[in-house]
Amino acid sequence: MNAPERVARQFGTELRDRLVTLRRDIHRHPELSLAERDTTSRLVAALADVGVTDVHRIGETGAVARVAGRSRSAPVVALRGDIDALPIQEATELPFASTVPGVMHACGHDVHASWAVGAAALLAADPADGDVLVVLQPAEEIGQGALAVLASGALDEARAIFGGHVDRRFAVGQVVADDGPLAASADTFTIEIMGAGAHAARPHEARDPIVALAAVVTALQSIVARRLNPATPGVVTVGTLSAGTAANIIPDRARATGTIRAVDSESRALMHDELRRVTESVASGLGTEARVTIDRGPPPVVNPGQQAAWAREAASAVVGRENVVPLGFLNLAAEDFSNYLERIPGCFLRIGARESGGPVIPAHSPAFFPAEDSLFVGAAVLAECARVASRSLR
Ligand SMILES: [Zn+2]
Ligand SMILES: [Zn+2]
């Protein structure tokens, strides 16, 4: 028997069927960030079915459940499952594909939500030393959910936190629990160039913001190429450009938006400073003025060593040491789990989700789906993370 089959068997037929039904149900009825009302109701009902009824709502679409530990005085640990879907038209042809046009669980949060319930069920049957707080987190995709959960105070007692993401670059049964950086910060910038408009045939009477913005976009490429230490990954991408109303008019304004990705706070600060400096100096050199605004998104995900070691110990116990594998590459996507890690030490895991012989499909693609057996691996690994951390913190 291979690792995923062995793990699935530990759940027993009833719980296994319950989780498969729950996950398919959530997948069929995806809800966007901050609209996860039915999703949360379904999950809270599923928690009650496995005997977990101590549930506090967070805002209108989130919840935190408490699973009692063996001792009231033992350390409290948190597990997080995010629950929101994406504005994508599903193209998987799964029998339980989305029934909502233009909305899809393309990031696997249907599985993450089901992990939370599965882990709660396992911990209700075989508790950790201390209580475990199981977070049903809304709005991960818009970077707001983790902050809302933290602001509610629901995790004030938590001394460690664990969460995971399905990943089809890894086979079902494989688990990654590396320490160090494994996802980037994601900050959004807006550049506005203010010039002076004129007739397109009389450019000497204008201060052309389009020419200035074009020069700025080119100059921005030098930040990663020439300013950032080449040993540190980073991204500056311009995603939109807009200006003008007609072919024979020089407009008075031009606008660009984009994203900055970094894996540590020093390179993040450097890229912010350089974006402002390069933009302002290039714009002014071309007779225009620049306004730069940067909206800070989630910080980088950096797993601390001790908590990652506990996660590897837990994963080894569930899938075997040979199936605990290194990430092997850095991912510059963002994940708002990093907001928890700024306040609570913990570990963010990748849980293999590619069925044997299946293709690698990136998350956020209309064809994305995690293999069903990743349901059991993720739930069992997270439950064991809670047990190991609670015991080790005593
Ligand atoms: Zn996503
Ligand atoms: Zn995701």
Side-chain angles (χ1 to χ4, degrees), residues 306-324:
Q306 177 64 76
Q307 288 69 22
W310 292 339
R312 287 194 295 273
E313 182 186 336
S316 298
V318 174
V319 294
R321 193 163 296 277
E322 68 282 6
N323 287 311
V324 180

Side-chain angles (χ1 to χ4, degrees), residues 1 23 27 35 40 52 69 75 118 135 137-138 183 185 194 211 227 230 258-259 267 287 294 320 337 350 354 372:
M1 207 186 324
R23 180 274 172 130
H27 192 93
T40 302
V52 176
V135 180
Q137 185 210 299
S185 56
M194 281 80 66
V211 171
R227 299 302 306 151
T259 184
S267 58
I294 301 177
F337 193 81
R350 314 288 306 181
R354 188 183 73 240
E372 199 151 70

Side-chain angles (χ1 to χ4, degrees), residues 11 111 152 183 231 284 314 318 334 338 353 374 393:
F11 281 73
V111 170
S152 76
S284 93
V318 174
S338 55
S374 64
L393 282 162

Side-chain angles (χ1 to χ4, degrees), residues 259-279:
T259 184
I260 299 174
R261 305 288 167 119
V263 295
D264 60 52
S265 50
E266 297 78 47
S267 58
R268 187 184 193 190
L270 174 99
M271 285 193 276
H272 285 202
D273 292 349
E274 288 292 306
L275 184 95
R276 289 182 199 283
R277 193 183 65 79
V278 169
T279 301

Side-chain angles (χ1 to χ4, degrees), residues 147-198:
L147 290 173
V149 172
L150 286 166
S152 76
L155 299 187
D156 285 358
E157 291 171 89
R159 306 232 342 246
I161 185 162
F162 298 88
H165 208 292
V166 287
D167 194 328
R168 286 188 63 98
R169 291 169 299 188
F170 299 94
V172 179
Q174 291 185 311
V175 176
V176 178
D178 287 354
D179 45 48
L182 64 155
S185 56
D187 304 321
T188 304
F189 64 84
T190 302
I191 294 171
E192 267 196 285
I193 305 287
M194 281 80 66

Side-chain angles (χ1 to χ4, degrees), residues 19-379:
L19 290 176
V20 168
T21 305
L22 173 68
R23 180 274 172 130
R24 291 182 174 198
D25 225 24
I26 294 173
H27 192 93
R28 228 179 249 122
H29 303 104
E31 291 174 304
L32 293 174
S33 306
L34 297 180
E36 309 93 333
R37 286 188 179 74
D38 292 348
T39 305
T40 302
S41 302
R42 263 178 237 277
L43 291 165
V44 169
L47 284 169
D49 286 343
V50 298
V52 176
T53 52
D54 184 355
V55 178
H56 289 265
R57 294 297 189 124
I58 308 286
E60 286 181 37
T61 63
V64 175
R66 179 182 286 265
V67 185
R70 295 183 190 280
S71 154
R72 288 222 126 250
S73 59
V76 173
V77 172
L79 300 177
R80 174 270 215 164
D82 43 356
I83 65 172
D84 52 332
L86 284 162
I88 295 177
Q89 178 64 42
E90 180 156 351
T92 63
E93 292 172 13
L94 287 170
F96 51 92
S98 169
T99 57
V100 185
V103 184
M104 173 195 179
H105 270 293
C107 204
H109 299 184
D110 52 332
V111 170
H112 304 172
S114 307
W115 286 345
V117 173
L122 296 177
L123 289 164
D126 179 10
D129 283 8
D131 291 358
V132 177
L133 301 170
V134 176
V135 180
L136 305 175
Q137 185 210 299
E140 191 284 324
E141 294 292 357
I142 58 169
Q144 294 179 16
L147 290 173
V149 172
L150 286 166
S152 76
L155 299 187
D156 285 358
E157 291 171 89
R159 306 232 342 246
I161 185 162
F162 298 88
H165 208 292
V166 287
D167 194 328
R168 286 188 63 98
R169 291 169 299 188
F170 299 94
V172 179
Q174 291 185 311
V175 176
V176 178
D178 287 354
D179 45 48
L182 64 155
S185 56
D187 304 321
T188 304
F189 64 84
T190 302
I191 294 171
E192 267 196 285
I193 305 287
M194 281 80 66
H199 195 292
R202 302 184 61 80
H204 58 292
E205 292 172 358
R207 283 180 287 115
D208 189 339
I210 291 181
V211 171
L213 184 56
V216 165
V217 171
T218 304
L220 291 181
Q221 308 312 309
S222 70
I223 297 174
V224 172
R226 301 289 83 176
R227 299 302 306 151
L228 192 64
N229 182 332
T232 308
V235 172
V236 176
T237 290
V238 175
T240 73
L241 286 177
S242 52
T245 54
N248 60 353
I249 301 171
I250 294 171
D252 60 2
R253 267 156 206 272
R255 192 167 185 272
T257 62
T259 184
I260 299 174
R261 305 288 167 119
V263 295
D264 60 52
S265 50
E266 297 78 47
S267 58
R268 187 184 193 190
L270 174 99
M271 285 193 276
H272 285 202
D273 292 349
E274 288 292 306
L275 184 95
R276 289 182 199 283
R277 193 183 65 79
V278 169
T279 301
E280 283 161 10
S281 52
V282 170
S284 93
L286 293 170
T288 59
E289 241 181 275
R291 189 182 304 137
V292 179
T293 49
I294 301 177
D295 291 322
R296 291 172 76 85
V301 177
V302 184
N303 286 337
Q306 177 64 76
Q307 288 69 22
W310 292 339
R312 287 194 295 273
E313 182 186 336
S316 298
V318 174
V319 294
R321 193 163 296 277
E322 68 282 6
N323 287 311
V324 180
V325 297
L327 185 61
F329 41 79
L330 204 55
N331 180 1
L332 292 195
E335 172 44 79
D336 82 352
F337 193 81
S338 55
N339 290 126
Y340 297 115
L341 291 179
E342 282 196 323
R343 293 259 299 270
I344 309 164
C347 183
F348 190 63
L349 300 96
R350 314 288 306 181
I351 306 288
R354 188 183 73 240
E355 62 287 341
S356 126
V360 173
I361 308 170
H364 290 211
S365 141
F368 182 77
F369 68 95
E372 199 151 70
D373 283 351
S374 64
L375 253 182
F376 310 112
V377 175

